[in-house]
Amino acid sequence: MKRKEYSAQEEKALTVVKYCKKCKRKTLFDTSGLFRVNAHRKKLDVWLIYKCNKCKTTWNLTILKRVTPESIPPELLHGFHENDIELAERYASDAALIKRNGAELFKGIT
């Protein structure tokens, strides 16, 4: 009988390359797993916070901009407020969202 071995790897959120204002060059940023929800009058903005690997400067990845609280499903809004890790990983793995925010996907080994 042949023996087969399998290994499971945890899916890691994508590392991004972005210009860091403090380092004054492009560096790697990793997600902090935290959201920032900001109210502006009757509208909300939601960001996923990233940190520079070198200097820990933060960068906010825009998820939602100027939307009404009623337009967000309650369970999704709750996930933003509670910093739901699975929700953060889902947004951190969204390549199209990352590109729309002006960052590049890191294609090397982390």
Side-chain angles (χ1 to χ4, degrees), residues 16-80:
V16 300
V17 179
K18 177 102 174 123
Y19 181 83
C20 177
K21 292 178 183 178
K22 189 172 180 183
C23 295
K24 298 191 185 325
R25 63 186 175 94
K26 285 187 175 183
T27 60
L28 299 178
F29 282 76
D30 284 319
T31 181
S32 66
L34 302 174
F35 293 100
R36 178 170 179 217
V37 180
N38 189 49
H40 180 74
R41 299 185 189 202
K42 294 183 180 184
K43 306 283 183 168
L44 294 179
D45 294 323
V46 179
W47 299 283
L48 179 60
I49 302 170
Y50 275 78
K51 289 187 179 183
C52 174
N53 286 354
K54 300 280 184 195
C55 68
K56 303 302 180 204
T57 294
T58 59
W59 165 63
N60 294 336
L61 175 91
T62 302
I63 296 173
L64 298 172
K65 188 173 183 177
R66 301 289 191 252
V67 297
T68 60
E70 298 81 26
S71 69
I72 306 171
E75 61 278 354
L76 184 60
L77 186 58
H78 180 74
F80 291 142

